[in-house]
């Protein structure tokens, strides 16, 4: 679909010119840019944290493994605000260990990732990435694993842009489905939409149309970024609580990773 045509269906939002620029970028096959120095430092710090978690022996090995004859559903990973695709590296490795081939695993990079454009624009990018993954793997459907604000971007695509027809299972990890009070600290368009009671969230939560997509929400009561933490519990989903300290450690937590692999490897809903 033409991103410009889809934009016409979206209500006017702050930063409309930035949205238009983002959707123009969506015409390209990928969103590739060199990270800024501060982003490289953030990625390095996160990699060190992840290494500590995995080297302490706390990892939970996935309980499933595909045989060469099996063809697992491709998985699209969607990161959140001020984040990047690197946050899913430990999880992608676990999926490979469980039998997924690398070409069936894709961690997309949203641009810009700082909340400078409305979430609807991010949703178009999610749809574009899902379409590309389906074409590359010749798959009818994909599974989607989304973290933090990425869960809202994925939900908008699922609910309003026809994504539910192309997604078998959707796992939200620490998504601010009812908003977060910390979003009041910043004035970026996407952060304004993540404030509790925003018009965007009211619309999203009044029309939870997922079709046949199986929906899961993973959350921690010790989140610290999603405030209150119960906002990460998505109504109508299969909910799972994890005692993980702090929001940004959720995608790399061994228990969360094992549960994600287990859910997507299962032939039936868990």
């Amino acid at each position: 679909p033409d991103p410009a045509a889809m934009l016409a269906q979206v209500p006017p939002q702050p930063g409309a010119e930035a949205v238009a620029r983002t959707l123009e970028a969506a015409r390209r096959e990928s969103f590739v840019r060199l990270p800024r120095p501060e982003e490289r430092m953030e990625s390095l710090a996160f990699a060190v944290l992840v290494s500590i978690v995995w080297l302490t022996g706390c990892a939970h090995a996935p309980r499933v493994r595909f045989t060469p004859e099996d063809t697992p559903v491709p998985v699209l990973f969607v990161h959140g605000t001020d984040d990047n695709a690197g946050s899913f590296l430990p999880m992608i490795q676990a999926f490979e260990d469980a039998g997924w081939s690398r070409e069936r695993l894709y961690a997309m990079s949203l641009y810009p990732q700082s909340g400078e454009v409305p979430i609807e624009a991010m949703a178009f990018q999610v749809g574009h990435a899902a379409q590309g993954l389906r074409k590359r793997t010749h798959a009818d459907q994909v599974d989607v694993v989304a973290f933090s604000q990425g869960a809202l971007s994925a939900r908008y695509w699922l609910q309003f842009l026809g994504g539910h027809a192309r997604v078998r299972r959707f796992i939200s990890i620490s998504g601010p489905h009812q908003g977060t009070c910390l979003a009041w600290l910043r004035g970026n368009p996407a952060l304004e939409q993540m404030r509790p009671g925003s018009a965007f969230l009211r619309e999203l939560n009044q029309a939870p149309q997922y079709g046949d997509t199986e929906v899961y929400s993973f959350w921690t009561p010790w989140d610290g970024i999603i405030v209150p933490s119960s906002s990460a519990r998505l109504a109508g989903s299969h909910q799972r609580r994890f005692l993980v300290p702090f929001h940004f450690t959720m995608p790399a937590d061994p228990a969360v990773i094992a549960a994600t692999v287990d859910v997507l490897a299962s032939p039936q809903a868990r």
Side-chain angles (χ1 to χ4, degrees), residues 103-125:
E103 58 267 20
R104 301 185 79 81
L105 303 167
Y106 179 57
M108 66 176 297
S109 293
L110 294 169
Y111 180 78
Q113 87 283 40
S114 57
E116 297 172 5
V117 300
I119 293 173
E120 293 90 341
M122 301 294 101
F124 293 133
Q125 294 186 33

Side-chain angles (χ1 to χ4, degrees), residues 54-210:
W54 280 84
L55 292 176
T56 54
C58 300
H60 295 227
R63 295 181 296 174
V64 294
R65 179 170 179 80
F66 284 101
T67 65
E69 293 77 21
D70 295 323
T71 304
V73 175
V75 185
L76 175 67
F77 301 89
V78 187
H79 66 78
T81 304
D82 296 332
D83 202 356
N84 56 57
S87 61
F88 287 109
L89 289 178
M91 188 174 289
I92 288 175
Q93 183 60 59
F95 272 92
E96 287 192 76
D97 292 343
W100 270 260
S101 60
R102 176 56 68 95
E103 58 267 20
R104 301 185 79 81
L105 303 167
Y106 179 57
M108 66 176 297
S109 293
L110 294 169
Y111 180 78
Q113 87 283 40
S114 57
E116 297 172 5
V117 300
I119 293 173
E120 293 90 341
M122 301 294 101
F124 293 133
Q125 294 186 33
V126 174
H128 181 77
Q131 182 181 23
L133 180 59
R134 286 179 48 245
K135 286 184 176 180
R136 290 192 299 273
T137 58
H138 307 287
D140 292 330
Q141 290 185 307
V142 299
D143 289 332
V144 177
V145 177
F147 172 59
S148 195
Q149 179 256 306
L152 300 183
S153 302
R155 279 186 62 193
Y156 194 91
W157 172 61
L158 284 166
Q159 295 176 221
F160 295 107
L161 302 178
H164 62 271
R166 298 301 185 184
V167 177
R168 184 190 62 147
R169 290 176 185 155
F170 167 54
I171 299 179
S172 162
I173 300 177
S174 293
H177 302 292
Q178 299 296 330
T180 173
C181 293
L182 294 190
W184 288 97
L185 300 177
R186 292 169 63 177
N188 294 357
L191 274 297
E192 291 179 353
Q193 291 178 307
M194 287 190 279
R195 294 171 181 173
S198 71
F200 173 83
L201 289 176
R202 290 198 304 271
E203 179 186 26
L204 198 64
N205 291 322
Q206 286 173 359
Q209 302 297 322
Y210 302 112

